[in-house]
C-alpha cells in the first residue's frame, strides 16, 4: 500500500502505538499522510484526533505535525518537540508525562484501552505462516509488547536502514506480575536474553508500506565552554569518587540523558585520562557514545535507541560486525528496569531545568505551568542509580534565569533521589548531608555568583526548621522573572513586607 492509502485506514478516536524511541526508529511515511488527512477532515467539518503511544519522544512527522494539525487527543509518555509542547501548553492535548520504563507494563494492563494500531518501522521482514519476524531499525522502545497487543499492524519497510540492523537488537518481554515473574537475567551490560527480531502474528498485518526516508534526527548543539566545563566537572567528580573507593577501579556503567549536555558530558569523560575505559547502560546512545565505542574508550553499551545523526547511524551500519559486538539495543522496559539498573550499579547523569537549594529537581516545566519536554527515563535511572547526578548550566536565557532556586517550581526527582548536582560553577555532593548543609553546598558550589547573595538572603529570611523555607518568598525569583523578565531583580522585601 502507499502511505496515503494506509493513512485512510485510521479512524477518528483510534489509539496508535508506534515503534521507535526518540526521533530514531520511528515510522514516518504514514504519519506524514495522516497529519495531512487530519487537516482535510477538519476542513470538511469532521472530527479527527488519535491517541499516540510510544517508548519515548518521537519525531516531527509524528508528534510535531500531528499537533500542528490539532489531531492528537492523548499522548504518552515523553516528547521533545517544540510544536507538540506549544499545543500541550495551549491545553489542546492531554499529555501524560511518565516514566519510560513503565510504559509497556501500562499497555499490558490496559491503562490506555485497546491499541487499535501499531505502526512500526522495520528494516526487514521474514514471512512465515504462523509468525512474521520483523527486524527493528535504530530503536527498541515498546515494539515487542505493542506488537503483541495491537489489533492491527502497519509496517513501514524503510530501505534507508540496513537489514543488518537486526544484529544489534535483543527483544525480551518480562512475565506478568503475580504469576511468578522471573528476574530479568541481565548480569553484564552486553548480556543478550531475548531474540533479535519482533515476532508478529501475520493475521494482524494490514499492509506494508515501502519507503526510503532518513531519520529525522536532531543535530546536536556544538559544545560550548559551559557544557564542556560541566562535562569536566562530572568527570573529575567521578574520578575523585573512584579514588575514594566508592566507585570500583573497573568503573561502573554510565547512563547519560538526552540533549546537548548529555552528549557533552560523555565526550568529556572520554577525554579524562584518569577514567578507565567504561561501559554504558542507558536509554539512549548519542553520537559521542558511538565515537567512544569506536575508540575503545567505551567497551560495551546497552540502550533502547541510537539517538544519533544519520551520519553516525550509517557509520554503525557500515561497521555492523564491530558494533554488534559492543552495542545492544533493548526494549525500553528492560533498558529502564529498576532491577537491572540497580544490579549493574549504573551512574545516572541527567539534565535538569532547575534544582532547588535542598536538592529537589525539575526537568520538565518552566515556571511551574509550562511544559518543556518531560521526565523521559531520567527518574527511572536517578531513583535506582548507584550515584544519581543532575547537571545544569547555572543560568539560562543570558543570565536572566538562575537554575538554582529556593524551591523548584515543579518537582520531578525529589531531594531523596538526587545525590550530586553539577553546574559549570562546580559540584555539590549531597550524600550524607542534612538539608541546611546541602543548601550551603549547592549555593556556594553550583549557583552562579550573580545569584549567590539572593539565595543566601533567602536562607536568612526562611523560617527555622529542618528544611527552612519562607512560604511567601519561595517562588519570588520565578515570580520576578515572570513580571520583570530577570530573576536578578528579585526583592524578597516585596514578598515578606
Ligand atoms: O532553550 O532551546 O530556547 O535555547 O531549555 O536547554 O541548555 O540547550 O540543554 O538540550 O540539554 O535540554 C532539561 C530540557 C535541557 C533536557 C532539558 C531552556 C534553555 C534552552 C534547552 P532554547 P539546553 P538541553 C531522557 C532523560 C529531560 C530529563 C532527561 C530534557 C532549552 O535535558 O528534556 O534528561 N531533560 N531525561 O534556555 C527556562 C530554565 C531553563 C530554561 C534551560 N531554568 N528556565 N528555560 N532552559 N533551563 C532520556 C530519554 O528518555 C530518551
Amino acid at each position: 500500500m502507499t502511505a496515503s492509502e494506509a493513512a485512510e485506514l485510521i479512524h477518528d478516536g483510534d489509539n496508535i502505538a508506534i515503534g521507535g524511541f526518540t526521533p530514531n526508529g520511528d515510522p514516518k511515511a504514514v504519519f506524514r499522510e495522516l497529519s495531512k488527512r487530519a487537516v482535510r477532515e477538519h476542513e470538511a467539518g469532521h472530527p479527527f484526533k488519535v491517541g499516540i503511544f510510544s517508548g519515548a519522544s518521537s519525531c516531527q512527522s509524528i508528534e510535531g505535525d500531528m499537533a500542528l494539525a490539532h489531531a492528537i487527543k492523548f499522548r504518552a509518555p515523553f516528547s521533545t518537540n517544540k510544536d507538540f509542547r506549544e499545543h500541550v501548553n495551549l491545553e489542546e492535548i492531554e499529555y501524560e508525562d511518565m516514566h519510560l520504563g513503565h510504559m509497556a507494563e501500562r499497555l499490558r494492563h490496559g491503562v490506555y484501552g485497546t491499541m487499535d494500531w501499531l505502526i512500526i518501522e522495520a528494516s526487514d521482514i521474514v514471512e512465515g505462516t504462523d509468525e512474521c519476524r520483523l527486524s527493528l531499525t535504530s530503536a527498541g522502545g515498546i515494539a515487542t509488547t505493542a506488537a503483541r497487543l495491537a489489533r492491527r499492524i502497519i509496517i513501514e519497510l524503510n530501505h534507508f536502514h540496513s537489514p543488518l540492523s537486526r544484529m544489534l537488537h535483543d527483544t525480551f518481554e518480562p512475565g506478568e506480575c503475580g504469576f511468578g515473574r522471573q528476574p530479568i537475567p541481565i548480569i553484564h551490560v552486553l548480556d543478550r536474553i531475548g531474540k533479535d527480531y519482533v515476532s508478529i502474528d501475520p493475521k494482524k498485518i494490514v499492509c506494508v508500506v515501502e519507503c526510503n526516508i532518513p531519520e529525522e534526527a536532531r543535530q546536536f548543539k556544538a559544545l560550548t565552554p559551559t557544557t564542556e566545563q560541566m562535562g569536566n566537572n562530572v568527570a573529575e567528580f567521578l574520578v575523585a569518587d573512584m579514588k575514594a573507593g566508592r566507585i570500583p577501579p573497573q568503573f561502573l556503567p554510565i547512563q547519560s540523558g538526552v540533549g546537548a549536555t548529555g552528549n557533552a558530558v560523555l565526550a568529556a569523560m572520554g577525554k579524562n585520562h584518569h577514567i578507565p575505559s567504561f561501559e554504558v547502560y542507558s536509554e539512549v546512545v548519542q553520537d559521542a557514545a558511538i565515537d567512544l565505542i569506536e575508540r575503545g574508550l567505551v567497551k560495551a553499551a546497552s540502550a533502547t535507541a541510537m539517538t544519533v545523526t544519520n551520519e553516525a547511524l550509517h557509520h554503525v551500519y557500515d561497521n555492523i560486525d564491530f558494533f554488534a559486538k559492543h552495542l545492544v539495543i533493548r526494549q525500553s522496559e528492560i533498558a529502564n528496569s529498576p532491577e537491572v539498573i540497580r544490579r549493574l550499579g549504573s551512574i545516572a547523569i541527567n539534565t535538569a531545568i532547575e534544582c532547588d537549594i535542598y536538592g529537589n529537581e525539575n526537568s520538565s516545566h518552566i515556571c511551574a505551568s509550562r511544559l518543556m519536554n518531560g521526565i523521559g527515563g531520567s527518574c527511572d535511572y536517578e531513583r535506582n542509580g548507584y550515584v544519581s547526578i543532575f547537571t545544569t548550566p547555572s543560568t539560562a536565557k543570558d543570565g536572566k534565569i538562575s537554575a538554582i532556586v529556593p524551591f523548584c517550581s515543579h518537582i520531578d526527582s525529589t531531594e531523596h533521589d538526587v545525590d550530586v548536582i553539577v553546574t559549570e560553577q562546580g559540584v555539590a555532593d549531597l550524600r550524607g548531608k542534612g538539608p541546611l548543609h546541602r543548601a550551603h553546598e549547592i549555593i556556594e558550589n553550583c549557583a552562579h555568583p550573580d545569584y549567590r547573595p539572593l539565595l543566601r538572603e533567602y536562607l536568612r529570611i526562611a523560617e527555622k526548621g529542618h528544611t527552612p523555607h519562607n512560604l511567601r518568598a519561595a517562588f519570588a525569583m520565578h515570580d520576578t522573572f515572570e513580571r520583570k523578565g530577570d530573576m536578578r531583580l528579585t526583592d524578597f522585601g516585596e514578598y515578606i513586607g
Side-chain angles (χ1 to χ4, degrees):
M1 256 187 211
T2 64
S4 63
E5 285 165 341
E8 290 297 323
L9 302 172
I10 313 282
H11 296 114
D12 174 46
D14 278 356
N15 281 336
I16 307 175
I18 55 169
F21 190 96
T22 70
N24 293 70
D26 299 344
K28 295 164 276 286
V30 175
F31 271 96
R32 287 181 185 182
E33 297 303 324
L34 194 62
S35 53
K36 287 186 215 154
R37 179 172 162 217
V39 172
R40 285 197 305 273
E41 296 284 355
H42 294 154
E43 281 168 358
H46 305 143
F48 194 89
K49 280 189 177 196
V50 297
I52 303 176
F53 304 86
S54 54
S57 55
S58 68
C59 58
Q60 179 65 28
S61 294
I62 300 180
E63 58 199 18
D65 292 350
M66 290 293 282
L68 287 169
H70 312 285
I72 305 179
K73 63 168 179 170
F74 185 90
R75 171 95 178 93
F78 186 47
S79 168
T80 51
N81 186 277
K82 193 169 168 295
D83 296 319
F84 177 81
R85 122 179 17 126
E86 204 172 298
H87 289 266
V88 168
N89 288 330
L90 289 169
E91 300 183 7
E92 246 180 49
I93 299 171
E94 187 175 354
Y95 167 52
E96 187 188 19
D97 176 26
M98 55 162 293
H99 306 299
L100 306 188
H102 293 187
M103 190 62 193
E105 191 141 281
R106 286 211 173 172
L107 288 175
R108 280 200 294 276
H109 294 169
V111 168
Y112 303 113
T114 306
M115 287 299 118
D116 300 293
W117 296 95
L118 167 65
I119 308 182
I120 188 163
E121 183 181 76
S123 65
D124 196 18
I125 309 166
V126 178
E127 292 177 58
T129 32
D130 299 328
E131 180 193 51
C132 270
R133 295 182 172 189
L134 184 144
S135 299
L136 294 172
T137 59
S138 52
I142 53 168
T144 310
T145 305
R148 205 168 49 69
L149 296 177
R151 287 173 53 224
R152 286 162 289 180
I153 298 177
I154 297 172
I155 300 173
E156 291 190 10
L157 185 59
N158 187 353
H159 299 294
F160 178 77
H161 293 279
S162 162
L164 298 176
S165 61
R166 173 183 181 150
M167 290 168 69
L168 299 168
H169 284 272
D170 183 56
T171 66
F172 176 88
E173 198 181 10
E176 211 32 271
C177 292
F179 294 89
R181 190 183 207 173
Q182 296 293 309
I184 297 170
I186 295 176
I187 311 295
H188 304 289
V189 166
L190 284 182
D191 285 351
R192 285 174 182 254
I193 58 171
K195 304 171 189 155
D196 60 0
Y197 59 88
V198 174
S199 175
I200 291 192
D201 175 353
K203 292 193 284 300
K204 290 185 182 181
I205 302 175
V206 175
C207 63
V208 176
V209 174
E210 288 202 59
C211 57
N212 190 330
I213 306 179
E215 303 262 57
E216 295 180 16
R218 292 181 299 259
Q219 287 295 331
F220 291 104
K221 288 182 193 167
L223 295 187
T224 63
T226 303
T227 51
E228 271 190 288
Q229 189 56 49
M230 279 194 289
N232 291 338
N233 290 349
V234 171
E236 277 166 28
F237 165 79
L238 293 175
V239 169
D241 233 36
M242 187 175 67
K243 287 188 178 155
R246 286 187 282 266
I247 294 176
Q250 70 274 23
F251 223 68
L252 289 170
I254 297 288
Q255 178 264 333
S256 165
V258 283
T261 311
N263 206 40
V265 165
L266 219 56
M269 289 190 54
K271 281 187 205 148
N272 190 303
H273 299 305
H274 299 289
I275 296 184
S277 57
F278 58 95
E279 296 178 321
V280 167
Y281 191 83
S282 191
E283 64 249 289
V284 293
V285 285
Q286 305 191 119
D287 282 30
I290 299 296
D291 176 51
L292 294 178
I293 293 173
E294 190 149 42
R295 288 163 48 210
L297 296 169
V298 165
K299 300 180 281 196
S302 164
T304 186
M306 288 187 281
T307 303
V308 296
T309 55
N310 283 314
E311 300 75 59
L313 182 66
H314 272 275
H315 186 69
V316 171
Y317 289 154
D318 291 344
N319 298 280
I320 195 84
D321 287 328
F322 169 80
F323 280 101
K325 286 191 205 117
H326 299 276
L327 171 64
V328 58
I329 301 179
R330 304 184 188 279
Q331 297 296 290
S332 42
E333 184 172 19
I334 306 302
N336 286 32
S337 155
E339 172 195 341
V340 182
I341 293 166
R342 199 75 188 156
R343 181 180 301 129
L344 296 178
S346 283
I347 296 171
I349 312 169
N350 290 284
T351 312
I353 282 174
E354 64 185 5
C355 295
D356 69 32
I357 54 175
Y358 298 115
N360 296 299
E361 182 274 343
N362 164 21
S363 40
S364 60
H365 285 75
I366 306 293
C367 284
S369 309
R370 293 186 301 281
L371 175 78
M372 179 65 183
N373 291 335
I375 56 172
S378 61
C379 303
D380 288 328
Y381 277 89
E382 295 288 336
R383 176 72 185 91
N384 300 296
Y386 183 83
V387 187
S388 300
I389 303 174
F390 271 104
T391 59
T392 173
S394 66
T395 60
K397 306 293 173 208
D398 300 323
K400 297 190 188 85
I401 295 176
S402 172
I404 306 296
V405 290
F407 208 156
C408 278
S409 62
H410 175 101
I411 294 176
D412 292 308
S413 282
T414 75
E415 53 164 319
H416 312 287
D417 295 336
V418 180
D419 292 331
V420 182
I421 296 172
V422 178
T423 68
E424 80 291 356
Q425 300 292 326
V427 176
D429 184 353
L430 309 178
R431 296 172 298 179
K433 298 185 174 94
L436 265 173
H437 195 167
R438 285 172 161 229
H440 290 298
E441 187 97 352
I442 294 170
I443 295 170
E444 303 312 327
N445 295 357
C446 293
H448 191 278
D450 285 357
Y451 286 100
R452 285 181 200 161
L454 262 180
L455 293 164
R456 291 180 197 129
E457 192 188 338
Y458 178 78
L459 272 185
R460 270 197 304 276
I461 61 166
E463 195 177 312
K464 269 196 183 325
H466 177 240
T467 307
H469 267 300
N470 183 307
L471 292 179
R472 277 168 295 164
F475 298 115
M477 286 170 64
H478 297 89
D479 183 55
T480 304
F481 176 74
E482 296 276 64
R483 289 186 300 112
K484 300 182 181 168
D486 194 329
M487 282 186 179
R488 286 171 293 204
L489 303 176
T490 306
D491 174 3
F492 288 120
E494 281 181 36
Y495 295 85
I496 60 170

